[in-house]
Amino acid sequence: MTSPARVPVATLPGGRMPAVGFGTWQLHGDRARSAVREALAVGYRHIDTATMYGNEEEIGQALADSGVARADVFLTTKIRPSDLGRERAVLRRSLAALGTDYLDLWLVHWPPRHRADSHQLWTELLAAKAEGHARDVGVSNYSLAEIDELTSSTGQAPAVNQIDWGPSRYDAGALAGHAERGIAVEGYSGLKNTNLGDPVLATIAAAHGVTTAQVVLRWHLEHHVTVIPKSARPDRIAANFELFGFQLTAEQVASIDGLAAGRGRRRR
Ligand SMILES: NC(=O)c1ccc[n+]([C@@H]2O[C@H](COP(=O)([O-])OP(=O)(O)OC[C@H]3O[C@@H](n4cnc5c(N)ncnc54)[C@H](OP(=O)(O)O)[C@@H]3O)[C@@H](O)[C@H]2O)c1
């Protein structure tokens, strides 16, 4: 079993984000409770949720049941742009459901359509951080141009951008752009949007005696991208966290990067 201490961290302005977290989208009710309990039991110390997922309460219950101290878990939730104007009430509900008095990371789930709304929402998140309700604040699904707008209008850059990421989405320019701005990249749907039967991945997996899913997750870490795989199955929850008994060579990383070639480049 992997010790949580082996997981690298991304250093954020307000704290340290474990580079492997547990995704919870589409986990509800008992399935959410037991998956999160399982994740905490095998060593995950970073849980990703959102108001939209409708499972904050179950996650709070799983955390309370787990016996793991709140201070040892990095907890992220997200606010929808449609909650503009009621940010405080949404934050209070998220904190109460999760059974905590602070978030490690509060994200704008996706960019509001209008620039003024984006600015207002971001200002509210910054206020929540200033008041100690969130250690760090960030965004999700923002382009670098949208991030630059927020930063120039408030003087404060998001700590994190959580984006759709994986071998088919690889974009060196996007990674460099986030790094230049000091923004940590967190990738989502890296397993779901990958052909886990791809021969390039299969060859690398065989060389290390691991699964192609583990290769994909490890590839994120080699690029310093935080990864948050979701699974409802205990065997996969455990395997997705077993990423520290092998490393990819530079050539293997480059061949996985190459899987994006010809599929269109994105900067989200
Ligand atoms: N910010 C955003 O807009 C946004 C959008 C999407 C997701 N997210 C976050 O990112 C997390 C991860 O993304 P995701 O849930 O879309 O996709 P994902 O974690 O890449 O993939 C989940 C899917 O892969 C399967 N899976 C998990 N482990 C596997 C393995 N070892 N081998 C084969 N299949 C495996 C799961 O099925 P089983 O459950 O049956 O194992 C599930 O169908 C979400 O849960 C959520 O927290 C954020």
Side-chain angles (χ1 to χ4, degrees):
M1 199 173 107
T2 299
S3 152
R6 289 199 70 183
V7 179
V9 294
T11 302
L12 308 182
R16 288 152 56 86
M17 176 169 70
V20 184
F22 186 65
T24 67
W25 183 35
Q26 296 175 320
L27 289 172
H28 299 111
D30 281 342
R31 264 163 55 93
R33 263 188 295 271
S34 62
V36 173
R37 269 200 304 263
E38 187 67 27
L40 291 166
V42 301
Y44 292 77
R45 292 293 180 268
H46 169 176
I47 309 291
D48 182 81
T49 183
T51 310
M52 196 188 87
Y53 300 170
N55 60 15
E56 290 173 316
E57 201 167 329
E58 287 80 358
I59 290 170
Q61 290 162 355
L63 267 169
D65 293 350
S66 72
V68 178
R70 167 68 187 91
D72 293 338
V73 180
F74 187 97
L75 209 44
T76 300
T77 193
K78 315 183 190 86
I79 182 167
R80 292 172 289 214
S82 55
D83 284 325
L84 184 75
R86 43 176 186 268
E87 298 86 358
R88 291 308 166 108
V90 169
L91 176 62
R92 273 197 302 276
R93 273 204 302 275
S94 287
L95 291 172
L98 289 164
T100 183
D101 56 4
Y102 71 95
L103 302 171
D104 292 282
L105 183 61
W106 199 25
L107 301 177
V108 179
H109 205 149
W110 60 89
R113 192 166 306 160
H114 302 294
R115 193 180 295 189
D117 292 349
S118 191
H119 174 84
Q120 189 185 327
L121 203 45
W122 184 233
T123 304
E124 287 294 333
L125 264 70
L126 291 173
K129 176 174 155 67
E131 290 162 19
H133 301 303
R135 299 261 160 97
D136 279 293
V137 289
V139 295
S140 179
N141 299 303
Y142 272 58
S143 66
L144 288 171
E146 286 162 339
I147 285 176
D148 287 343
E149 259 179 42
L150 284 189
T151 309
S152 62
S153 64
T154 59
Q156 296 200 56
V160 169
N161 190 16
Q162 187 181 109
I163 53 175
D164 189 355
W165 195 252
S168 65
R169 308 276 194 255
Y170 178 69
D171 178 343
L175 284 190
H178 285 87
E180 280 159 20
R181 291 162 177 78
I183 298 168
V185 177
E186 205 181 350
Y188 69 72
S189 302
L191 296 176
K192 194 162 68 187
N193 292 336
T194 299
N195 171 14
L196 295 175
D198 189 294
V200 168
L201 298 175
T203 303
I204 297 170
H208 292 287
V210 297
T211 66
T212 54
Q214 288 169 314
V215 168
V216 169
L217 298 172
R218 181 76 215 187
W219 170 84
H220 284 71
L221 302 182
E222 306 289 0
H223 277 302
H224 306 289
V225 172
T226 294
V227 69
I228 45 173
K230 168 265 171 187
S231 179
R233 289 174 36 169
D235 57 337
R236 288 177 173 175
I237 292 171
N240 293 346
F241 196 65
E242 292 294 326
L243 306 176
F244 305 99
F246 71 107
Q247 281 182 313
L248 303 180
T249 65
E251 290 73 23
Q252 289 168 337
V253 170
S255 65
I256 299 170
D257 296 350
L259 295 175
R263 295 191 194 174
R265 298 298 169 95
R266 296 159 53 106
R267 288 190 181 270
R268 294 274 259 194

